[in-house]
Amino acid sequence: IVCKMYQFNKINGETIDYLSYTKNIVKKFPSVKIHVGTDSFLLNDNTRYITAIAFRFNKAGVHYIYTKKKFPRIKDNWERLWRETELSVDIARQLDKQKVKIEIDMDYNSDERFFSNKLVAVAKGWANSLGFKVNLKPYNQIATSAADYHSK
């Protein structure tokens, strides 16, 4: 159950239209690398998701925007982590329709000792089948790092 409407914010709290904002950045900085990633956390009776779109300007730094979504508490770890993939892929697909090249940062570990590794094959396979490059922990976690920062 993925939401089609997103309210994105800059880090200063200003609400923006993420599609036009991203298109403007790409127009001004054609070599920008764009990453989408989602992190989740449990808070009281809710599961909260933070999805970030990170704009990497080569060696000049990173700028990001983010959105927060709240769902009733999800106790099952697979379901909670899978929704992270759904949210990231949904936003990546919306951006892809605008002809913006996207990488998806998944907050799943490539190390089999971690539970999140169980989702790697299916989540990465789905995103790859849609044409997206996928980055897993511990590599290139630009957007999920921003999302994690706002989950605290």
Side-chain angles (χ1 to χ4, degrees):
I1 302 169
V2 177
C3 301
K4 295 297 178 190
M5 297 299 295
Y6 298 98
Q7 177 179 316
F8 269 82
N9 298 301
K10 292 174 147 184
I11 58 172
N12 67 3
E14 177 187 349
T15 301
I16 56 165
D17 174 351
Y18 74 100
L19 293 172
S20 59
Y21 188 82
T22 300
K23 283 173 67 173
N24 287 335
I25 286 185
V26 171
K27 190 175 182 178
K28 288 181 188 175
F29 306 97
S31 65
V32 68
K33 303 277 191 254
I34 302 173
H35 294 249
V36 174
T38 302
D39 198 10
S40 62
F41 67 103
L42 303 174
L43 183 64
N44 301 322
D45 293 335
N46 299 304
T47 300
R48 302 216 177 177
Y49 292 88
I50 294 85
T51 301
I53 301 172
F55 306 95
R56 186 174 193 174
F57 301 97
N58 294 325
K59 296 180 181 179
V62 174
H63 164 70
Y64 65 89
I65 56 176
Y66 67 95
T67 187
K68 294 182 179 185
K69 290 284 180 198
K70 180 171 70 171
F71 294 90
R73 188 179 185 101
I74 300 171
K75 294 177 183 172
D76 180 76
N77 280 338
W78 179 282
E79 183 182 349
R80 179 180 58 80
L81 291 171
W82 181 253
R83 183 147 305 157
E84 291 181 10
T85 297
E86 290 179 317
L87 291 166
S88 291
V89 166
D90 187 52
I91 289 169
R93 290 178 88 177
Q94 299 303 315
L95 290 167
D96 191 52
K97 288 178 187 176
Q98 307 294 316
K99 307 293 186 226
V100 174
K101 187 175 177 177
I102 303 295
E103 293 184 29
I104 298 177
D105 299 346
M106 292 186 175
D107 197 24
Y108 305 150
N109 208 304
S110 56
D111 186 331
E112 293 180 4
R113 294 177 295 167
F114 294 91
F115 179 83
S116 65
N117 180 265
K118 295 177 182 183
L119 284 92
V120 166
V122 67
K124 185 176 179 185
W126 180 35
N128 286 160
S129 75
L130 296 170
F132 300 113
K133 179 182 177 193
V134 173
N135 303 306
L136 301 172
K137 278 184 180 176
Y139 308 103
N140 248 350
Q141 293 295 296
I142 298 165
T144 53
S145 294
D148 178 69
Y149 175 80
H150 284 281
S151 72
K152 306 295 183 219

